[in-house]
Amino acid sequence: MKKVNIGLLGLGNVGRGVWNIVEENKDELKKRSGYEINISKILVKDIDKQREVDVPKEILTTDFNKILEDDSIDIVVEVIGGIEPSVDYMIRSMKKKKHVVTANKMAIATKGSTLLRTSREEGVMLFYEGSVGGGIPIINGLNENLVANKIEEVIGIINGTTNYILSKMTREKVSFEEALKEAQEKGYAEADPTSDVEAFDPMYKLCILSSLAFDNVVNISYIHREGITNIKPIDIEYARELGYVIKLLGIAKDVDGELELRVHPTMVPANHPLANVNDSFNAVLIKGNAVGELMLYGRGAGELPTGSAVVGDIVSILRNRDNPLYYSKFEEATIPHKIRDINKVQCEYYIRMTVKDKPGVLGEICSIFGKNNVSMLSVIQKGRREECVSLVFITHNTLEGNIRKSMDKVSLSNDVVKVENVIRIENLGLQ
Amino acid sequence: MKKVNIGLLGLGNVGRGVWNIVEENKDELKKRSGYEINISKILVKDIDKQREVDVPKEILTTDFNKILEDDSIDIVVEVIGGIEPSVDYMIRSMKKKKHVVTANKMAIATKGSTLLRTSREEGVMLFYEGSVGGGIPIINGLNENLVANKIEEVIGIINGTTNYILSKMTREKVSFEEALKEAQEKGYAEADPTSDVEAFDPMYKLCILSSLAFDNVVNISYIHREGITNIKPIDIEYARELGYVIKLLGIAKDVDGELELRVHPTMVPANHPLANVNDSFNAVLIKGNAVGELMLYGRGAGELPTGSAVVGDIVSILRNRDNPLYYSKFEEATIPHKIRDINKVQCEYYIRMTVKDKPGVLGEICSIFGKNNVSMLSVIQKGRREECVSLVFITHNTLEGNIRKSMDKVSLSNDVVKVENVIRIENLGLQ
């Protein structure tokens, strides 16, 4: 039996998962890859730290060079996360002719072109299935299985933390703050939750997915991003009444050759499969011109699901090591697209505002909307609090630019206390 | 630009899809595979037949040898279906060092070992993503993406025709016969619907999926098979009342090292994602010891979705042609399993029977169940018709053997007019 030595960079959540899968599924992995997979060195910050995994101390090192200079190591698995030193470690590993597997969304989203170019130049493979959607095989799906398609849309719930929070707010009618607190207690959210709740994490992931789906190199700056901190229980309640559920979606669409790229809270029809993806599950809906609509659903994070993707990549490398496999996508924009201005997005909108309860206010607001070509599908007036009243509008399909112009004008009115929330509605339907 | 010539066997539904995708997505395919894909010969039965696709007549042939002996053809795509002559054509093509792509579930399910052994012996590739689940990348999922997992369960809606019929019966409360008639009118069901409604088609597919999932060679004779012809609107109505939906499921489980393999109508909880897979959509739920639960959902048939899988396989061959890629699975049983006797299946059961409406009948039946260790979760008595009454039982989790013994005894009772239906209940839950 041939043997392959692996250098593991990082022994956090995902690192533990990789170690445990390689141990637990040793026999299957031998049969399927033809190799005995041996994690021979692990880079950690602190060798003496107590760990929840039974790893022999003698293979731990705090010195990356010990792994880099070890010629018996053929594959480096990077599960440290963040951009530096991870990117530097990966590039140096590839220059030493080591294949690389990573689960690092930030590194791939921001340095993907450089990393993949290095891999081709050095004749080694770089795989990153674990970087998006945990154990869901979405990267491979776009790189291989759906390669016969022109992809038209990729829409997904690609952040488990915010999905957990929104699911909890929807089911238990608690506030964002309460739901976040519980997510933190359960370990679903970090002490500093910014990356998740302000939607940076799904922005990186959407950057990777859209680059692959549209044969492009998407820069994170192209993506319109809004988090979920402004979602109130009352918005979720209105959504329910109107037949919607609020989800944080990553949306990438090819609209007449322009890419629409956005991550934001979205109302989706309550009977759509995405609406029923709850808690920390992820799901990605892909629309291709041949395959039609396809949805992949599963655990978007966690040591074992992400470990499943990472170890799957290791086996792919072993199977292709005599003839490295590259994907031309992502390395450079083979089919350049324009990026669609956010003002050109077209959808229905939910708008909630607090206004003074006096005659003529509704008429004034409606006239502002009308002048900006925004027409209304429905208006709900509910709940009185002193002299103010809550107004909810659902617009017909309209341009975001028209909504923004309307909101600017509406905000100036003395009768409008506050525009509380504007949420886009995606009337997704399976064909 | 390098060019590859393809010989296409068959120009039916899937053949048309393959032709159209290769035409429509020509540019993308060039960029992604590095080849101009050229379908240079097509085997048909009748050259002069009117076709719904614009194919130049001069590339049609009725003689397989014209394709076999053409050394400029590197890849043969078999989309004729059935076992012979398809299997013979594939084996002869491989012996001429041509790679093969097929969407033929019968051929792979019954002759998969021979076909895949030939491929390895001849040093050519044989891919068959289109054979199960149309455009859903389930074969690749099991062969590649989930390779790091011990698979515990594969459960799926893998026949679009019966799912269309059951969805229609559920939504519109029509009979099986009416729903079948409409399915036939819409082209979803064949004039002779046996293969679908008697569950032969999903049996072949489950055979392939379970072979891949459990590193085994599953023979179709191992699979317990029941069709949907006995499902009545009243069963669907009772299911609804009890919180279930009836679906035709293919179920493969590794239970303590034994394989449980069955295709039959099943009650699934109404809030489970599989319950909401309607019409001709397919979905497969996979449970692996690393990835947890994963669901793939999409179009399970149709010229473009299945064509998407076939053309995806062509690109895989082009990317790996210098170093053919094989999968050790399926060719021989690397991890042999025992097949679990159907009497050892454990689940809850729905049992509907017509009995005489007189005192003591319920007691008699319950005592028979009791003697066979079957205990009841609930009993519903409803609807009178002359002197007979309909009785519905839901059992606690129990052995199929106990149910069968009970039913044999119950049938002998003079007070039992007929055991109308026995339907297994799978209390699927996403973890």
Side-chain angles (χ1 to χ4, degrees), chain A residues 25 32 148 215 297 299 431, chain B residues 25 32 148 215 299 431:
Chain A
N25 296 350
R32 294 173 189 165
D215 302 78
Y297 175 110
R299 289 268 169 217
Q431 302 160 323
Chain B
N25 296 349
R32 294 172 189 167
D215 301 78
R299 289 268 171 217
Q431 302 161 320

Side-chain angles (χ1 to χ4, degrees), chain A residues 95-131:
Chain A
K95 292 197 165 164
K96 284 278 189 184
K97 307 298 180 195
K98 297 181 196 303
H99 304 287
V100 169
V101 175
T102 180
N104 188 327
K105 58 189 170 280
M106 278 177 82
I108 297 293
T110 60
K111 304 286 175 188
S113 302
T114 310
L115 285 164
L116 285 151
R117 196 174 310 115
T118 305
S119 111
R120 188 186 294 270
E121 284 167 3
E122 300 297 334
V124 292
M125 287 171 269
L126 169 63
F127 291 156
Y128 50 96
E129 180 62 68
S131 64

